[in-house]
């Protein structure tokens, strides 16, 4: 017990006196400097800290500012329409959705890399300028997929005044409007996917009722027919192709 207290006291002293030692040797841990143009530049340590904090929002950015919403919802509705609750598994659907999202978003990602990431790595622009440059491609992508009615709704809710010609929509309005529009589009595609499988269920249920087989579940009989129909029409290629072309 005494040894643990000594180790804890030593460690506490180290963390308490480390800033003083660093200050004596002149290591810029957290500092903000003003350059010749009047802009503020942050030390590398502070930039790394901000980058690590930004990475915590990366899952939300992938899910809510890309095509990931539409793809995952359509795949979930498709699995429900087929009548298979666990096949394909959630891991497979999420993995397919991620790769399809990267495929659809590749032009936007390349533009962000050319206009924001590479100039920042070459130290031609600051971190704030890189962040502002990265917002432009994502904003252009989202505004093309967002319905005007959804934009007006969130502009009214947030009290945002009418935009002038050429003025960009604020992200606080654009992101929720884009999410609502993506969900609406995904449900529309899912409705069209549901119709042929629903017809098969109705036909099988009518045949079983006419034969007097009331105790036999129609889902057991209709499932092989739905799988066969989906395979014969090359369903995965049709669904993935429809999702990819819906963003062009």
């Amino acid at each position: 017990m005494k040894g643990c207290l000594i180790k804890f006291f030593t460690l506490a002293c180290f963390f308490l006196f480390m800033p003083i030692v660093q200050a004596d040797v002149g290591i810029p841990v957290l500092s903000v400097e003003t350059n010749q143009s009047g802009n503020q530049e942050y030390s590398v340590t502070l930039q790394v800290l901000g980058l690590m904090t930004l990475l915590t929002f990366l899952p939300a950015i992938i899910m809510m500012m890309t095509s990931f919403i539409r793809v995952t919802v359509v795949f979930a509705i498709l699995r429900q329409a087929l009548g298979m609750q666990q096949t394909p598994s959630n891991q497979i659907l999420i993995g397919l959705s991620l790769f399809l999202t990267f495929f659809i978003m590749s032009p936007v990602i390349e533009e962000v890399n050319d206009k924001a990431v590479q100039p920042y790595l070459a130290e031609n622009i600051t971190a704030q300028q890189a962040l502002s440059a990265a917002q432009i491609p994502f904003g252009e992508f989202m505004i093309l997929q967002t319905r005007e009615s959804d934009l007006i709704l969130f502009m009214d809710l947030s009290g945002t005044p009418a935009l002038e010609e050429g003025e960009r929509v604020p992200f606080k309005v654009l992101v929720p409007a884009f999410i609502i529009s993506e969900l609406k589009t995904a449900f529309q595609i899912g409705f069209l996917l549901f119709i042929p499988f629903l017809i098969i269920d109705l036909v099988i249920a009518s045949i079983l009722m006419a034969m007097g087989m009331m105790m036999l579940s129609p889902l057991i009989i209709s499932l092989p027919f739905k799988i066969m129909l989906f395979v014969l029409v090359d369903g995965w290629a049709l669904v993935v192709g429809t999702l990819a072309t819906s963003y062009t």
Side-chain angles (χ1 to χ4, degrees):
M1 184 69 180
K2 183 177 180 181
C4 295
L5 291 175
I6 294 175
K7 292 180 180 179
F8 176 78
F9 179 75
T10 304
L11 187 63
C13 292
F14 174 76
F15 282 109
L16 285 174
F17 292 104
M18 183 175 63
I20 301 176
V21 175
Q22 290 177 341
D24 292 338
V25 299
I27 301 177
V29 181
L30 300 176
S31 62
V32 180
E33 300 179 355
T34 304
N35 54 23
Q36 297 179 353
S37 61
N39 298 324
Q40 291 184 339
E41 295 183 354
Y42 301 93
S43 62
V44 176
T45 307
L46 193 59
Q47 293 181 20
V48 172
L49 179 62
L51 179 61
M52 297 302 294
T53 304
L54 183 62
L55 288 178
T56 60
F57 296 97
L58 186 60
I61 294 175
I62 294 177
M63 289 188 294
M64 299 303 171
M65 296 174 59
T66 64
S67 59
F68 187 80
I69 302 175
R70 185 184 303 185
V71 174
T72 51
V73 172
V74 169
F75 284 160
I77 295 177
L78 174 62
R79 186 173 64 177
Q80 187 72 24
L82 285 170
M84 297 184 295
Q85 302 299 325
Q86 301 297 330
T87 305
S89 63
N90 291 330
Q91 291 83 354
I92 295 176
L93 290 183
I94 294 298
L96 179 59
S97 301
L98 282 174
F99 280 104
L100 187 57
T101 299
F102 289 139
F103 174 78
I104 295 172
M105 300 294 297
S106 57
V108 179
I109 296 174
E110 291 175 359
E111 187 175 355
V112 170
N113 181 64
D114 295 338
K115 295 184 178 180
V117 177
Q118 294 302 324
Y120 174 71
L121 294 178
E123 298 183 356
N124 296 327
I125 59 176
T126 62
Q128 293 179 345
Q129 292 173 338
L131 184 60
S132 299
Q135 290 179 355
I136 297 176
F138 277 100
E140 293 176 350
F141 169 79
M142 288 189 291
I143 198 67
L144 291 176
Q145 308 300 327
T146 305
R147 292 176 174 82
E148 184 178 356
S149 59
D150 296 327
L151 277 176
I152 295 175
L153 170 64
F154 284 97
M155 289 183 66
D156 293 339
L157 292 176
S158 62
T160 303
L163 301 177
E164 300 293 336
E165 185 177 357
E167 187 178 359
R168 289 187 297 175
V169 181
F171 258 57
K172 67 175 183 179
V173 174
L174 181 58
V175 173
F178 170 75
I179 295 173
I180 297 300
S181 296
E182 286 291 282
L183 288 174
K184 184 176 182 179
T185 304
F187 274 80
Q188 290 175 345
I189 298 175
F191 171 76
L192 296 177
L193 288 175
F194 235 106
I195 293 177
F197 301 113
L198 181 61
I199 294 175
I200 294 177
D201 287 332
L202 292 175
V203 171
I204 296 297
S206 300
I207 293 174
L208 292 178
M209 186 174 295
M211 296 174 63
M213 304 175 68
M214 304 295 184
M215 302 302 295
L216 183 60
S217 175
L219 295 178
I220 299 176
I221 307 300
S222 63
L223 180 58
F225 290 97
K226 291 190 288 187
I227 295 176
M228 181 181 65
L229 173 65
F230 191 70
V231 172
L232 289 177
V233 299
D234 200 5
W236 287 111
L238 287 176
V239 173
V240 172
T242 300
L243 289 171
T245 55
S246 63
Y247 287 95
T248 57

